[in-house]
């Protein structure tokens, strides 16, 4: 599908968004890692995942970012802090791919409304980008 998106449809960027991983597991699994790397090898510019209801690790593979799980962002009904934390992802891209990225941490209140944590961004990669650009 990644190859086809570029060849058949002329996509400038391909970023698969995956629904994967075991719920409440803080580390990505071996199968997630294998699939993400295969997607990069097939030509994906980045891979973004979700589903486990917790944030997971970030990896750079062949110079391209993989975000295994962004966690929860607008979601209620969880009592544990790990389930009430989510990442807001900002990517800077052009036709040649991802140039930079930032992850902003949000914590949800009891109603499931996200609030940015102080001291943002939490993590960044690629060339520096600012929130104003």
């Amino acid at each position: 599908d990644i190859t086809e998106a570029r060849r058949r449809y002329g996509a400038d960027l391909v970023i698969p968004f995956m629904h994967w991983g075991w719920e409440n597991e803080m580390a990505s699994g071996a199968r997630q890692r294998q699939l993400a790397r295969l997607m990069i090898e097939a030509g994906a510019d980045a891979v973004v995942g979700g589903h486990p209801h917790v944030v997971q690790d970030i990896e750079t593979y062949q110079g391209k970012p993989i975000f295994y799980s962004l966690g929860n962002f607008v979601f209620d009904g969880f009592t544990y802090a790990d389930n009430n934390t989510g990442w807001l992802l900002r990517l800077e891209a052009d036709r040649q791919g991802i140039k930079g990225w930032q992850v902003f941490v949000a914590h949800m209140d009891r109603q499931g409304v996200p609030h940015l944590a102080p001291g943002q961004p939490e993590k960044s990669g690629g060339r520096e980008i600012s929130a104003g650009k």
Side-chain angles (χ1 to χ4, degrees):
D1 289 344
I2 293 164
T3 304
E4 196 71 0
R6 290 200 191 277
R7 187 180 58 78
R8 184 172 181 185
Y9 300 105
D12 293 325
L13 294 171
V14 179
I15 303 173
F17 194 98
M18 304 303 295
H19 185 261
W20 61 7
W22 295 104
E23 288 190 6
N24 301 312
E25 290 291 324
M26 299 294 290
S28 58
R31 182 141 172 82
Q32 283 172 273
R33 287 182 149 353
Q34 178 187 23
L35 289 171
R37 291 172 182 176
L38 285 171
M39 285 182 254
I40 297 293
E41 290 168 4
D45 295 289
V47 177
V48 179
H51 167 71
H53 296 289
V54 293
V55 296
Q56 291 183 332
D57 45 319
I58 300 168
E59 172 183 27
T60 300
Y61 181 70
Q62 294 184 358
K64 298 177 181 181
I66 302 169
F67 306 90
Y68 286 99
S69 176
L70 300 180
N72 290 331
F73 186 68
V74 178
F75 214 114
D76 65 353
F78 289 102
T79 56
Y80 297 109
D82 290 340
N83 298 120
N84 288 308
T85 300
W87 287 345
L88 175 64
L89 174 61
R90 180 174 185 256
L91 297 174
E92 181 179 290
D94 64 17
R95 289 181 175 183
Q96 283 70 51
I98 304 301
K99 300 301 176 195
W101 56 268
Q102 293 174 308
V103 169
F104 297 86
V105 177
H107 300 288
M108 282 150 292
D109 61 24
R110 292 187 184 270
Q111 289 74 40
V113 177
H115 302 276
L116 284 176
Q120 300 299 318
E122 177 83 3
K123 302 170 189 282
S124 63
R127 79 177 171 90
E128 279 298 313
I129 58 177
S130 67
K133 290 186 178 178

